[in-house]
């Protein structure tokens, strides 16, 4: 275990020195879409901003985000349907209450439902351990009750983790976590008590919030980045199996002027489906877990 990193979760490992393996059907590049469905509190809490917000209630930014659940998410669902693309849908559990029928529509598509906290108006990493454990338990219970089984994966609201988040997730029965963009392959994280949990890479560059909200890229620039990353990773994957994730938020890329270039980028990927494993984060985790069990 790496004692110099400060986190003690994984040791250093250079990609070229790792064992080479295949994804299903001999594929070398696994591609998944992480579609964030999020809900926010009116008049308080956190939220991405289209423009600098004024005093609460910040109607401009709240309404901009709310459009994603009322309009944008449905347009993205239609886009994915047209391209026969699966998604890992990262859901705030409060959405079952706030937007009835939304998560159910993606369930009907056969998409994976991934836990994403209660709401994106809060961070979990600032909570004490008991409160964080309660947040995880509440989120898990709500999703399990509505989906008929607990979620296998977790993405923290605002990519927020405390020093004990991986431990709490493993103890709550989660098989994998997202949040970390430290590698192009899944990584085993050590957890307390001799346990472990798998980290599936989650993108922070091919992610529309950092790209469009923070770096002010246009929809075309974001789409070009997706295409360039895909083409390069498809070549790089000949030497080692890789994971390419794409993080989308309906209130951003669901907008018409961004949806059109996104469609072109996703069509580019779909045209190469015979050469890639177009899948979900959960299926990637299951494959790695099965390989690990077989090796053991």
């Amino acid at each position: 275990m790496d004692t110099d990193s400060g986190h003690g979760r994984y040791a250093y490992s250079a990609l070229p020195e790792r064992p080479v393996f295949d994804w299903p059907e001999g594929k070398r590049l696994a591609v998944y879409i992480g579609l964030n469905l999020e809900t926010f509190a009116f008049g308080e809490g956190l939220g991405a901003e289209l423009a600098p917000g004024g005093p609460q209630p910040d109607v401009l930014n709240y309404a901009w985000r709310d459009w994603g659940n009322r309009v944008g998410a449905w347009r993205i669902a239609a886009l994915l349907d047209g391209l026969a693309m699966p998604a890992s849908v990262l859901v705030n559990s409060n959405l079952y209450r706030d937007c009835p029928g939304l998560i159910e529509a993606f369930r009907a598509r056969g998409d994976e439902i991934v836990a994403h906290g209660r709401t994106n108006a809060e961070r979990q990493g600032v909570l004490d351990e008991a409160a964080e454990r309660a947040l995880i338990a509440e989120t898990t219970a709500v999703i399990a009750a509505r989906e008929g089984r607990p979620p296998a994966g977790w993405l923290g609201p605002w990519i927020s983790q405390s020093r004990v988040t991986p431990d709490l997730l493993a103890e709550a029965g989660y098989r994998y976590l997202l949040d970390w963009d430290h590698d192009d392959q899944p990584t085993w994280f050590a957890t307390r008590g001799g346990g472990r949990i798998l980290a599936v890479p989650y993108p922070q560059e091919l992610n529309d919030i950092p790209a469009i909200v923070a770096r002010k890229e246009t929809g075309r620039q974001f789409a070009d980045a997706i295409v360039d990353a895909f083409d390069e990773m498809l070549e790089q994957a000949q030497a080692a199996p890789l994971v390419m994730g794409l993080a989308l938020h309906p209130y951003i890329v669901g907008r018409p002027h961004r949806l059109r270039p996104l469609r072109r980028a996703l069509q580019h990927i779909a045209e190469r489906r015979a050469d890639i494993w177009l899948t979900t984060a959960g299926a990637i985790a299951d494959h790695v877990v099965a390989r690990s069990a077989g090796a053991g």
Side-chain angles (χ1 to χ4, degrees), residues 7-267:
H7 55 68
R9 297 295 180 184
Y10 56 83
Y12 175 75
S13 171
L15 178 61
E17 298 174 359
R18 300 176 199 166
V20 175
F21 64 91
D22 291 333
W23 300 117
E25 299 181 357
K27 306 296 177 59
R28 285 290 182 83
L29 180 61
V31 179
Y32 80 93
I33 295 172
L35 179 62
N36 292 261
L37 299 184
E38 300 169 344
T39 185
F40 300 87
F42 180 68
E44 62 180 348
L46 303 174
E49 294 184 341
L50 173 66
Q56 293 289 359
D58 179 6
V59 171
L60 185 157
N61 288 302
Y62 176 84
W64 174 66
R65 295 188 297 264
D66 202 33
W67 179 95
N69 293 332
R70 300 169 64 87
V71 181
W74 302 98
R75 289 179 176 164
I76 290 178
L79 170 58
L80 297 177
D81 282 346
L83 296 174
M85 282 185 154
S88 292
V89 185
L90 318 174
V91 303
N92 291 160
S93 60
N94 284 359
L95 274 168
Y96 290 104
R97 176 199 69 197
D98 295 345
C99 301
L102 179 58
I103 298 174
E104 291 84 349
F106 286 91
R107 177 205 305 153
R109 279 181 23 89
D111 289 327
E112 177 193 18
I113 304 300
V114 181
H116 190 27
R118 295 175 295 213
T119 169
N120 261 52
E122 65 182 357
R123 299 182 191 273
Q124 73 183 85
V126 299
L127 302 175
D128 63 34
E129 183 169 339
E132 186 178 8
R133 183 183 293 108
L135 182 153
I136 293 169
E138 178 185 338
T139 302
T140 306
V142 170
I143 294 176
R146 299 300 291 265
E147 301 301 323
R149 59 182 177 181
W154 179 278
L155 175 71
W158 292 101
I159 319 296
S160 177
Q161 290 197 353
S162 72
R163 290 187 177 273
V164 297
T165 300
D167 307 309
L168 295 174
L169 292 173
E171 291 161 7
Y174 281 85
R175 296 198 298 275
Y176 77 91
L177 56 84
L178 296 170
D179 299 320
W180 288 65
D181 188 25
H182 67 296
D183 209 296
D184 284 345
Q185 291 182 347
T187 303
W188 284 107
F189 277 34
T191 59
R192 60 193 179 192
R196 64 179 185 172
I197 189 170
L198 191 69
V200 175
Y202 182 77
Q204 293 305 334
E205 296 244 16
L206 296 184
N207 183 324
D208 53 8
I209 287 184
I212 293 170
V213 176
R215 298 197 298 272
K216 308 301 181 185
E217 294 177 7
T218 66
R220 287 186 176 87
Q221 288 173 317
F222 183 59
D224 286 346
I226 294 170
V227 170
D228 287 344
F230 175 76
D231 289 347
E232 181 65 21
M233 292 191 78
L234 191 57
E235 291 183 12
Q236 295 285 349
Q238 299 309 305
L242 303 176
V243 172
M244 175 182 167
L246 177 59
L248 305 177
H249 296 76
Y251 61 88
I252 299 175
V253 291
R255 298 281 175 176
H257 61 292
R258 299 190 189 103
L259 187 64
R260 186 162 290 266
L262 175 66
R263 181 181 290 109
R264 290 196 295 268
L266 294 186
Q267 285 173 336

